[in-house]
Amino acid sequence: MLVRLLYASRPAQQSANSLVDDILKSCRENNPQHGITGVLCFSEQAFLQLIEGDRVAINRVYGQIVQDQRHTDVSLLHYEEINERIFGSWTMGQVNLEKINPSVILKYCPLPELDPFAISGSAALALLKDLFASASIVGRA
């Protein structure tokens, strides 16, 4: 059974950018053996991550994320059973939202900056789909 999980968190340290390389490295090393794919969006203030895969594997990974000291304020935004993956090409794609046209973010957020805590899970998922459609996701691995 495939599932999709979307969550938001805040970086435990001052700068999310200093954590991103470590998180992406860990995802790219561990996700393939568990069949997990997804995308990580980040700004200085927040992470927005979507992961897809087997329900047991996704639930286990989310439990680890909640306990991960690199994250604070972990909040589940969306969880659903799926028939197919959106981000099946990435062990973990990445989007640095500071390099995205602010109008894309403003389409879904109250201000032209990522605040996944201020939007619904469906709006966050729509934002990721827009970023996918506009080829704003990089770091294919």
Side-chain angles (χ1 to χ4, degrees), residues 59-89:
N59 291 346
R60 186 187 71 254
V61 167
Y62 183 66
Q64 293 169 345
I65 290 165
V66 170
Q67 299 299 317
D68 191 327
Q69 298 298 307
R70 297 174 292 189
H71 301 269
T72 63
D73 302 329
V74 178
S75 180
L76 181 64
L77 300 178
H78 182 81
Y79 185 94
E80 69 177 324
E81 294 177 349
I82 58 173
N83 293 322
E84 61 185 30
R85 301 170 194 247
I86 298 172
F87 300 102
S89 298

Side-chain angles (χ1 to χ4, degrees), residues 22-111:
D22 186 44
I23 291 170
L24 289 170
K25 181 178 184 266
S26 176
C27 289
R28 290 175 177 154
E29 288 175 356
N30 297 316
N31 287 356
Q33 64 192 4
H34 301 291
I36 296 173
T37 58
V39 63
L40 173 67
C41 295
F42 58 94
S43 69
E44 285 292 318
Q45 298 81 27
F47 293 120
L48 176 64
Q49 187 172 30
L50 180 142
I51 52 177
E52 299 170 319
D54 176 72
R55 178 181 17 218
V56 172
I58 295 297
N59 291 346
R60 186 187 71 254
V61 167
Y62 183 66
Q64 293 169 345
I65 290 165
V66 170
Q67 299 299 317
D68 191 327
Q69 298 298 307
R70 297 174 292 189
H71 301 269
T72 63
D73 302 329
V74 178
S75 180
L76 181 64
L77 300 178
H78 182 81
Y79 185 94
E80 69 177 324
E81 294 177 349
I82 58 173
N83 293 322
E84 61 185 30
R85 301 170 194 247
I86 298 172
F87 300 102
S89 298
W90 287 278
T91 55
M92 190 52 56
Q94 70 188 72
V95 178
N96 182 342
L97 291 173
E98 293 170 356
K99 297 182 178 180
I100 301 297
N101 184 329
S103 66
V104 174
I105 298 169
L106 189 58
K107 182 176 176 181
Y108 300 100
C109 296
L111 297 171

Side-chain angles (χ1 to χ4, degrees), residues 4 7 14 18 34 40 42 47 63 69 100 113 120 131 138:
R4 178 176 299 125
Y7 76 91
Q14 289 292 82
S18 66
H34 301 291
L40 173 67
F42 58 94
F47 293 120
Q69 298 298 307
I100 301 297
E113 57 193 39
S120 69
L131 293 170
V138 298

